[in-house]
Amino acid sequence: MSGSASFIAVDWGTTNRRIFRFDGGAVAHTEHDDRGAASVTDFAGEVAAIRERFGDLPMLLAGMVGSTVGWRVVPYVAALAGVDDLVAGLGWIDDRTAIVPGVSCSKNGRGDVMRGEEVQLLGAVAGWMVPPDALLAQPGTHCKWATMTGGRIAGFTTAMTGELFALLRGHSLLAGSLTADVTDSEAFREGLAEGARRDLAASLFGIRAASVLGLRDDADAASFASGVLIGADVAARMDDCAFEQVHILADAALGDLYAAAVAATGREPVIVDSHSAFARGILAIGDKAL
Amino acid sequence: MSGSASFIAVDWGTTNRRIFRFDGGAVAHTEHDDRGAASVTDFAGEVAAIRERFGDLPMLLAGMVGSTVGWRVVPYVAALAGVDDLVAGLGWIDDRTAIVPGVSCSKNGRGDVMRGEEVQLLGAVAGWMVPPDALLAQPGTHCKWATMTGGRIAGFTTAMTGELFALLRGHSLLAGSLTADVTDSEAFREGLAEGARRDLAASLFGIRAASVLGLRDDADAASFASGVLIGADVAARMDDCAFEQVHILADAALGDLYAAAVAATGREPVIVDSHSAFARGILAIGDKAL
């Protein structure tokens, strides 16, 4: 592809997807819906329907569509992984439809995996939104923390911070206390400090004890609990962090909470638009692959 | 009561209870059933039924029967708390039926609470099973770690270690991998070492990654996960621990897992029978109260 060609990209997660049409190296149109990989069985039919709506164009699919819950399992590319490595690892369905591989890494016998986040990471660098050597955080159900070296993904750690919060809110002894919205409040900041002690199981029971003893308003419990979880996540990542800046790829609300947590550790948070990063990343891949 | 009198004691938790009849300072009979406080509405009727079966004797009730899910809310006694303090705080239903109060503590603005465990703790000292200055662990859904000073409860920390494991096994992304029994296996020991890093959210996602990458047999995942949670709990408690021994009050299976975790930190674990400790504790209270 010359960089001016047109194609369709799908950021296809487990529960949601975002579809982009690119014309001449820019996003011409984008749509978001809830037809995630886990709810789709006829992927060929879905792709045909997307082409009917967005144009009969080459397609790149990224994310969980390449996993066991998706269309076809595309093997992970091992870190160090840059754009060229992802292009070499594309899983071709036919000669104009390919799935972007995820990335794996391994350090000291501990392995980790990502699918979908790699496009944002490489796009953030390709689009000059972050330096080629940087630490990036992608908060969410499973928060990814990736180190970029020379513009490639060098290694990463996933923390199930968002999932733990959902488990506590949905099913734990604390569920009844965690119904309020999470805000960057004084309770959230107190939670960050508590989380930095990295004693999660005790800090979380402390929410119950504070409620029973009347030490904290139950309306503040959700923000405090989120602060504990995010504070523990961020504190663990700062242990051996050589970077003064932490770049955060997230939607506004969650990005602000992580930014506050990063700032509390004395580092400088920098928010990066995750949709722009994905677009730049998939453009870089399309430029070499299509 | 002279120490030779007879009475009935109930260790009445949320989901289970154990009933003891004491004659002459010894357990004459004991029974266990699942009529926990949360499943009972007519406590007066239950107590009458117990007296019909066990004898028309004075009764001491301990545990969640004194909480909001129980018969009557009996205020916590603040630490330092010894046998005399619990006797002074008894919640009398009538002149021969009393509920033992729970204990609260507060340090650096962090509060904690217990109901039921205090009887075991004081009984372990009263029965010479542990020294009057000691660190005791009571593993379970909510693991209590109590420091005894001069035979009284000086302070304690609760970690929701068991509840986190149940949440992960029941409702998380890892649920499908955590079906096996937990054993003190090599995987459990590896989990302890991982847990000691005190980076719970990342260590837990690592279980998923190891499964996806084929780095660990799924049959070992439950033991590893339990090791991570118990390892993190124990490591946090050893931070400022002045004791060479850790006394563990638990059933055999869970006690052995915590003993292995304590030993892994270089401390000496000592297992104490929790039912004997409860019996000695409630006898000490009955001796002064009835």
Side-chain angles (χ1 to χ4, degrees):
Chain A
M1 193 171 76
S2 66
S4 62
S6 297
F7 72 104
I8 298 164
V10 187
D11 187 2
W12 210 329
T14 302
T15 52
N16 294 282
R17 68 183 180 187
R18 181 173 288 278
I19 308 170
F20 302 79
R21 193 184 72 230
F22 292 95
D23 288 325
V27 177
H29 184 61
T30 180
E31 283 181 17
H32 181 263
D33 65 33
D34 61 0
R35 297 192 58 73
S39 65
V40 166
T41 50
D42 176 14
F43 284 92
E46 284 291 324
V47 160
I50 291 171
R51 282 200 170 101
E52 269 187 34
R53 283 213 317 283
F54 285 76
D56 190 27
L57 296 166
M59 285 181 74
L60 287 175
L61 318 176
M64 294 302 281
V65 66
S67 78
T68 50
V69 303
W71 193 355
R72 181 183 295 177
V73 175
V74 178
Y76 294 102
V77 169
L80 289 173
V83 170
D84 290 344
D85 306 293
L86 295 193
V87 170
L90 283 171
W92 289 94
I93 302 290
D94 56 42
D95 62 6
R96 57 178 203 150
T97 312
I99 299 176
V100 178
V103 176
S104 65
C105 69
S106 179
K107 199 174 80 173
N108 305 332
R110 280 191 289 275
D112 213 327
V113 291
M114 61 170 55
R115 277 199 195 275
E117 295 90 348
E118 67 286 341
V119 179
Q120 287 184 13
L121 293 170
L122 294 170
V125 174
W128 305 99
M129 300 175 223
V130 311
D133 297 299
L135 174 66
L136 285 82
Q138 297 168 293
T141 304
H142 299 145
C143 181
K144 304 286 180 191
W145 292 84
T147 303
M148 309 297 291
T149 303
R152 300 165 80 194
I153 300 165
F156 54 93
T157 299
T158 308
M160 53 191 287
T161 307
E163 181 171 353
L164 284 176
F165 186 72
L167 288 171
L168 292 167
R169 180 175 254 176
H171 303 285
S172 79
L173 174 78
L174 305 176
S177 308
L178 300 182
T179 53
D181 287 338
V182 173
T183 60
D184 181 10
S185 54
E186 192 182 332
F188 178 77
R189 302 295 176 113
E190 289 171 5
L192 291 179
E194 177 69 20
R197 298 173 61 233
R198 294 170 62 180
D199 187 7
L200 221 46
S203 297
L204 293 173
F205 187 85
I207 295 167
R208 172 69 175 173
S211 171
V212 168
L213 294 173
L215 299 176
R216 184 182 304 111
D217 192 325
D218 261 9
D220 290 331
S223 292
F224 182 84
S226 174
V228 166
L229 289 165
I230 293 175
D233 187 1
V234 171
R237 245 46 65 199
M238 296 303 108
D239 253 2
D240 53 359
C241 172
F243 297 99
E244 284 306 309
Q245 292 188 321
V246 178
H247 293 83
I248 300 168
L249 291 149
D251 66 49
L254 196 52
D256 286 350
L257 294 176
Y258 268 77
V262 165
T265 69
R267 257 76 172 194
E268 183 193 349
V270 182
I271 301 271
V272 178
D273 183 81
S274 56
H275 298 306
S276 301
F278 179 85
R280 292 302 298 250
I282 206 75
L283 269 169
I285 294 167
D287 204 37
K288 299 199 170 182
L290 299 178
Chain B
M1 193 170 76
S2 66
S4 62
S6 297
F7 72 105
I8 298 165
V10 186
D11 186 3
W12 209 329
T14 302
T15 53
N16 294 282
R17 68 181 180 188
R18 181 173 286 279
I19 308 171
F20 302 79
R21 193 185 70 232
F22 292 95
D23 288 324
V27 177
H29 184 61
T30 179
E31 283 181 19
H32 181 262
D33 65 34
D34 61 1
R35 298 192 57 73
S39 65
V40 166
T41 49
D42 177 15
F43 284 93
E46 284 291 323
V47 160
I50 291 170
R51 282 200 170 102
E52 270 187 33
R53 283 214 315 286
F54 284 76
D56 191 27
L57 297 166
M59 284 182 75
L60 288 175
L61 318 177
M64 295 302 280
V65 66
S67 77
T68 51
V69 302
W71 193 356
R72 180 185 296 179
V73 175
V74 178
Y76 294 103
V77 169
L80 291 171
V83 170
D84 289 343
D85 306 293
L86 296 194
V87 169
L90 284 171
W92 289 94
I93 301 290
D94 56 42
D95 62 7
R96 57 178 204 150
T97 312
I99 299 177
V100 178
V103 176
S104 65
C105 69
S106 178
K107 198 174 80 173
N108 305 330
R110 281 191 289 276
D112 213 327
V113 291
M114 62 170 55
R115 276 198 195 275
E117 295 91 348
E118 66 288 340
V119 179
Q120 286 184 15
L121 294 169
L122 295 171
V125 174
W128 304 99
M129 301 175 223
V130 311
D133 297 300
L135 175 66
L136 286 82
Q138 297 168 293
T141 303
H142 298 146
C143 181
K144 304 286 180 188
W145 292 84
T147 303
M148 309 297 290
T149 303
R152 300 164 80 192
I153 300 167
F156 55 92
T157 298
T158 307
M160 52 190 288
T161 305
E163 181 171 355
L164 284 175
F165 186 72
L167 289 170
L168 292 167
R169 180 174 253 176
H171 304 285
S172 80
L173 175 77
L174 305 176
S177 309
L178 300 182
T179 52
D181 287 338
V182 173
T183 60
D184 181 11
S185 55
E186 192 182 331
F188 178 76
R189 301 295 175 115
E190 288 170 7
L192 291 180
E194 176 68 21
R197 297 174 60 234
R198 316 245 311 254
D199 187 8
L200 220 46
S203 297
L204 293 172
F205 187 84
I207 295 168
R208 171 68 175 174
S211 171
V212 168
L213 294 173
L215 299 175
R216 183 181 305 111
D217 193 325
D218 262 9
D220 290 332
S223 292
F224 182 83
S226 175
V228 167
L229 288 166
I230 293 175
D233 186 2
V234 172
R237 244 47 65 199
M238 295 303 107
D239 254 3
D240 54 358
C241 171
F243 298 99
E244 284 306 309
Q245 290 187 323
V246 178
H247 293 83
I248 301 169
L249 291 149
D251 65 50
L254 196 53
D256 286 350
L257 294 176
Y258 268 78
V262 165
T265 69
R267 256 75 170 196
E268 182 192 351
V270 182
I271 301 270
V272 178
D273 183 80
S274 56
H275 298 305
S276 300
F278 179 85
R280 292 302 299 250
I282 206 76
L283 268 171
I285 294 167
D287 204 37
K288 298 198 171 185
L290 300 178

